[in-house]
Amino acid sequence: MNTSTARTTLSFGEAFAVAAICFGLSVVASVEAVAVGFPDQVFSDASNVWAAFIELMLAMAAVFYLRVRDFDVHSLIPRPDLSGVVVGIVLYLVTEIACTAVLAVLGLESAVVGFSFTGASLGSTVLISIVNGTFEEVFLLGVLTRGLREQGASIAIGLSLLVRLLTHLYQGPAGAVSILVFGLVLSVFYVRTGRLWPVVFAHILADVVPMTLGGAGG
């Protein structure tokens, strides 16, 4: 495939297909968690490694589909650099402040689903954080938001936020609000700059820090 002529836009049908491939299983699992009353989430080395493996397999399937549809998959590779790390740290801090403020205004500070990371080592925590942060932002922002940009920024951002929300319903009301705020900050930054690495790094931090400290990640 000639990357110079590859597409970076998607039809609604193609966007739905990518969302179904990448996030369909997560949406089903989240809806099931809501149906049974938001059970506590327990993480272990085994669950982290398994989750990373599943996301890698889904990513491969989605990339194959995008290549068949002549989408520019090479542009989806985050390109780490120092400035992106710094910007990513700032983005992470902004999302933390924004989420805390919104939850306080809504009175949802204590409405948090229980999370346990005591059975997970630092190695598996870092692994799943890197894989999950990269997976979600590449396909939510790099594919869905960018791919639908010709439909207007509000639709492109709104649909990717909807998918992001549906995959995280298991985190309960406070988690859902936090995910929306988190996703909105990263989406606006990405739409304005087109830079993927800073949002990926911010998401990695949003998973690593809470998981290491025993809270809930993104």
Side-chain angles (χ1 to χ4, degrees):
M1 180 179 64
N2 185 351
T3 57
S4 63
T5 60
R7 296 186 298 130
T8 59
T9 58
L10 297 173
S11 67
F12 281 118
E14 290 169 331
F16 178 83
V18 172
I21 292 170
C22 293
F23 305 105
L25 290 175
S26 296
V27 170
V28 171
S30 279
V31 171
E32 289 179 347
V34 173
V36 298
F38 305 107
D40 290 349
Q41 303 292 314
V42 180
F43 294 81
S44 65
D45 284 343
S47 67
N48 284 347
V49 172
W50 178 247
F53 173 76
I54 292 297
E55 288 191 339
L56 289 172
M57 293 302 101
L58 294 176
M60 290 175 62
V63 167
F64 176 78
Y65 171 79
L66 289 169
R67 286 182 64 88
V68 170
R69 303 303 297 176
D70 198 31
F71 190 86
D72 183 10
V73 296
H74 294 280
S75 63
L76 300 177
I77 302 173
R79 292 169 173 77
D81 58 72
L82 183 58
S83 67
V85 169
V86 174
V87 175
I89 293 172
V90 173
L91 277 174
Y92 166 66
L93 294 175
V94 169
T95 61
E96 285 294 297
I97 294 170
C99 288
T100 300
V102 172
L103 290 177
V105 170
L106 297 178
L108 292 173
E109 308 99 305
S110 61
V112 178
V113 172
F115 287 80
S116 173
F117 302 103
T118 56
S121 66
L122 179 60
S124 74
T125 295
V126 172
L127 171 66
I128 187 56
S129 296
I130 292 174
V131 173
N132 182 64
T134 304
F135 175 79
E136 290 195 11
E137 300 313 328
V138 164
F139 289 103
L140 286 173
L141 297 184
V143 176
L144 296 183
T145 298
R146 181 177 60 151
L148 293 172
R149 66 188 183 280
E150 290 187 347
Q151 309 302 324
S154 59
I155 291 178
I157 292 175
L159 290 180
S160 68
L161 279 178
L162 176 61
V163 175
R164 191 187 295 266
L165 172 64
L166 292 175
T167 62
H168 294 87
L169 289 176
Y170 70 92
Q171 293 188 7
V177 171
S178 294
I179 285 298
L180 284 176
V181 175
F182 176 81
L184 182 59
V185 171
L186 297 193
S187 297
V188 170
F189 172 85
Y190 178 73
V191 168
R192 291 180 64 87
T193 68
R195 299 180 66 188
L196 191 57
W197 168 241
V199 297
V200 167
F201 191 75
H203 193 139
I204 292 172
L205 287 179
D207 284 345
V208 166
V209 174
M211 290 176 75
T212 302
L213 298 178

